[in-house]
Amino acid sequence: MSLKVVIIGGGSSYTPEIIEGFISRYESFPVSELSLVDIESGRGKLEIVGALARRMINKSGYPIKLSWTLNRKEALQNADFVTTQIRVGGLKAREKDEKIPLTHGVIGQETNGPGGIFKALRTIPVLLDISRDIHDICPGAWLINFTNPAGIVTEALLKYSLHKKVVGVCNIPINMKNSVAEMMNVEAKHVEIEFIGMNHFVFGRKVCVKGIDRTEEVLDKLIHNEVDYSPANIISLGWSKEFIQSINLLPNPYHQYYFQTEDVLAKDLKAFAENGTRAEIVKEVEKELFVKYQEEQLQEKPKELEKRGGAYYSDAACSLMNSIYNDKGDIQTVNILNQGAITGLPHDSVIEVNAVITKVGPKPITIGELPLSVRGIIQQMKAFEQLVIEAAISGEYLKAYQAMIMNPFVRNEKKAKIILDELLEAHKDYLPQFHTK
Ligand code: G6P
């Protein structure tokens, strides 16, 4: 039986991760055909990554037919799963997303701050285009999105695309689970965290180890800095006892931007002065990675890939595809439509929660009411996300302004306009919806 996976953004430095994920799961998820797709400007990287992927597959000995191409429509023929990992405008655009707000004393942040808004504005139209092709060419395929901002992009797809087989994934819940497992000295499969919220704004409400509630112990370890589940792109500042005790939830690493804003801004400004923004650091890491990827003797994912914040994302993506394919009925954390799982958030909005994964897709596990301590901010963030999506679709200046002013890092009406205008100008080549009226 054939099983075809198409990776859009195949030239990404992350691709060896997902190749490794397919190889290690081959016995239960026997990919027969793999196609890596990229665009003209990514041709060089695609060829390097493609050649490495070929060496990895050859070493595995599995009969996976691999190809790489710039022709998306052709690649999509007969696809069963399509993953999307694109960066519209590349790292150059990310650098602007991070830098411009910082020059006005505001955290840029490529997924959560003004940077995240602009990443969404650039990305949503492109992904809608891709999903249109999927709907026309391989309507039965599942679109697994990890393009950031993953929650916002997934919601835009589920609201505005005809293709409804869409699920978003992120590595943060997996990182949290793995770190808790390490701290509790058990295998990750014995840890269950009940996640509530949205992508990069998700909290852990309950932690069970081998079926026993160990939430209090984990929260205590967080207070004492005995567990750190931050990805490579975030340096943890720790959490105060009062904060953790009062919310009584596990924050995710991105929460530092919201609850330690001034400290993070100071940290970002210092890092910016010393080494540039994260985008500039990532450019260097990528350079090294691509030199490494070209070593003929390299036949596996190199350790150096762990310097990227998205390390291990393939675990989320591959486990999800595996469970859909095998109709497993296990529980995974995904970005899907709320449909009433969380009271107080719109039914048609996307949330990041645990879901039962079967061949008909994920079904969210009911959460009910959000804890009062974080209800307000989660609702605000959801409204913010909706505004970003509406701005991306309509290209309306005032919608984009609303999103900017609603972002908790900005909250200054004059700065919101300055940052918005500068970013709109800086990214005008990628924002036709705002510039062709
Ligand atoms: C985290 C996030 C990802 C994000 C990545 C950035 O892991 O969950 O969504 O893409 O960090 O990492 P980078 O190495 O690009 O800064």
Side-chain angles (χ1 to χ4, degrees):
M1 229 176 74
S2 82
L3 172 55
K4 180 173 180 182
V5 181
V6 178
I7 302 179
I8 302 204
S12 160
S13 60
Y14 281 120
T15 297
E17 277 256 351
I18 199 159
I19 303 290
E20 185 194 68
F22 292 137
I23 291 173
S24 65
R25 288 172 181 80
Y26 185 83
E27 300 299 332
S28 54
F29 188 65
V31 177
S32 56
E33 199 179 342
L34 198 53
S35 181
L36 312 181
V37 180
D38 221 302
I39 53 172
E40 180 55 45
S41 57
R43 183 195 284 268
K45 283 179 161 184
L46 180 64
E47 275 163 13
I48 295 171
V49 172
L52 171 59
R54 172 147 294 153
R55 295 196 298 276
M56 290 172 73
I57 290 171
N58 285 347
K59 186 186 171 198
S60 76
Y62 290 126
I64 304 172
K65 187 176 151 213
L66 173 75
S67 59
W68 52 92
T69 176
L70 303 185
N71 189 335
R72 181 169 88 208
K73 288 191 197 308
E74 212 172 274
L76 287 174
Q77 304 286 342
N78 304 316
D80 298 293
F81 290 93
V82 182
T83 68
T84 45
Q85 47 178 41
I86 62 168
R87 189 184 287 283
V88 180
L91 284 169
K92 256 194 211 153
R94 174 172 175 183
E95 196 179 324
K96 292 176 189 168
D97 283 342
E98 293 172 342
K99 222 176 237 181
I100 291 174
L102 261 191
T103 58
H104 298 288
V106 170
I107 299 166
Q109 225 305 309
E110 64 139 0
T111 59
N112 291 41
I117 299 176
F118 271 78
K119 192 170 193 326
L121 298 184
R122 294 191 301 275
T123 308
I124 289 171
V126 177
L127 270 176
L128 281 171
D129 229 43
I130 293 172
S131 74
R132 213 168 291 130
D133 281 354
I134 296 175
H135 195 66
D136 290 345
I137 301 169
C138 48
W142 283 95
L143 194 175
I144 313 291
N145 175 61
F146 16 93
T147 297
N148 270 324
I152 298 178
V153 166
T154 304
E155 179 166 324
L157 286 169
L158 283 165
K159 277 185 171 162
Y160 292 95
S161 161
L162 284 177
H163 194 75
K164 299 297 176 200
K165 294 174 88 173
V166 179
V167 191
V169 290
C170 178
N171 62 339
I172 293 294
I174 289 217
N175 285 2
M176 290 173 72
K177 211 172 140 173
N178 288 346
S179 306
V180 168
E182 205 176 300
M183 177 190 80
M184 303 302 261
N185 234 335
V186 293
E187 283 177 64
K189 66 175 184 205
H190 295 306
V191 175
E192 291 292 339
I193 303 181
E194 183 190 41
F195 286 101
I196 56 170
M198 282 122 49
N199 182 233
H200 288 186
F201 207 88
V202 75
F203 291 95
R205 184 164 70 171
K206 189 173 175 185
V207 184
C208 286
V209 179
K210 295 187 178 170
I212 297 165
D213 187 345
R214 307 281 290 270
T215 317
E216 251 179 61
E217 212 176 315
V218 175
L219 292 179
D220 196 57
K221 297 215 185 251
L222 256 184
I223 294 169
H224 293 98
N225 274 324
E226 287 167 29
V227 55
D228 177 12
Y229 37 67
S230 305
N233 57 313
I234 297 180
I235 298 165
S236 166
L237 300 173
W239 294 105
S240 70
K241 186 167 121 202
E242 293 70 22
F243 178 72
I244 297 296
Q245 284 179 340
S246 69
I247 63 167
N248 202 29
L249 299 164
L250 271 77
N252 85 72
Y254 281 86
H255 280 128
Q256 65 167 222
Y257 291 102
Y258 302 90
F259 299 110
Q260 302 172 335
T261 314
E262 282 164 29
D263 294 336
V264 176
L265 177 62
K267 179 181 74 166
D268 276 12
L269 283 169
K270 188 166 174 281
F272 176 42
E274 288 167 2
N275 305 307
T277 65
R278 176 75 188 160
E280 287 161 282
I281 294 167
V282 167
K283 271 189 197 164
E284 288 308 308
V285 174
E286 281 218 334
K287 242 190 241 163
E288 280 172 39
L289 283 173
F290 276 93
V291 169
K292 182 100 202 160
Y293 289 178
Q294 289 175 75
E295 291 174 4
E296 279 299 320
Q297 70 278 14
L298 184 72
Q299 296 176 314
E300 60 198 6
K301 175 189 89 172
K303 181 105 184 102
E304 288 87 338
L305 194 44
E306 286 171 20
K307 291 188 194 162
R308 294 298 307 275
Y312 307 115
Y313 84 94
S314 73
D315 269 347
C318 295
S319 303
L320 175 63
M321 289 185 262
N322 193 350
S323 293
I324 293 177
Y325 177 77
N326 288 303
D327 198 20
K328 272 197 183 167
D330 60 340
I331 293 171
Q332 298 186 27
T333 313
V334 286
N335 284 263
I336 36 165
L337 284 182
N338 179 19
Q339 296 167 308
I342 296 183
T343 314
L345 291 182
H347 272 237
D348 66 346
S349 65
V350 162
I351 53 172
E352 190 167 88
V353 283
N354 294 347
V356 179
I357 318 291
T358 65
K359 66 179 177 201
V360 296
K363 286 252 173 316
I365 295 176
T366 304
I367 297 291
E369 294 275 1
L370 290 165
L372 197 50
S373 56
V374 294
R375 191 178 299 165
I377 182 107
I378 290 182
Q379 285 171 333
Q380 176 184 346
M381 290 312 293
K382 184 39 81 186
F384 156 75
E385 291 191 353
Q386 283 179 254
L387 289 168
V388 175
I389 295 167
E390 285 177 20
I393 301 290
S394 66
E396 278 177 41
Y397 180 86
L398 283 181
K399 277 266 186 294
Y401 179 85
Q402 272 182 341
M404 189 62 79
I405 192 67
M406 283 295 290
N407 185 279
F409 309 168
V410 182
R411 283 193 291 214
N412 176 306
E413 56 144 341
K414 293 198 180 73
K415 270 192 193 176
K417 176 170 166 48
I418 295 169
I419 295 171
L420 177 64
D421 289 349
E422 285 188 24
L423 283 167
L424 276 174
E425 181 58 27
H427 293 304
K428 65 171 182 280
D429 291 349
Y430 300 103
L431 298 172
Q433 71 273 48
F434 286 90
H435 290 279
T436 48
K437 280 182 200 144

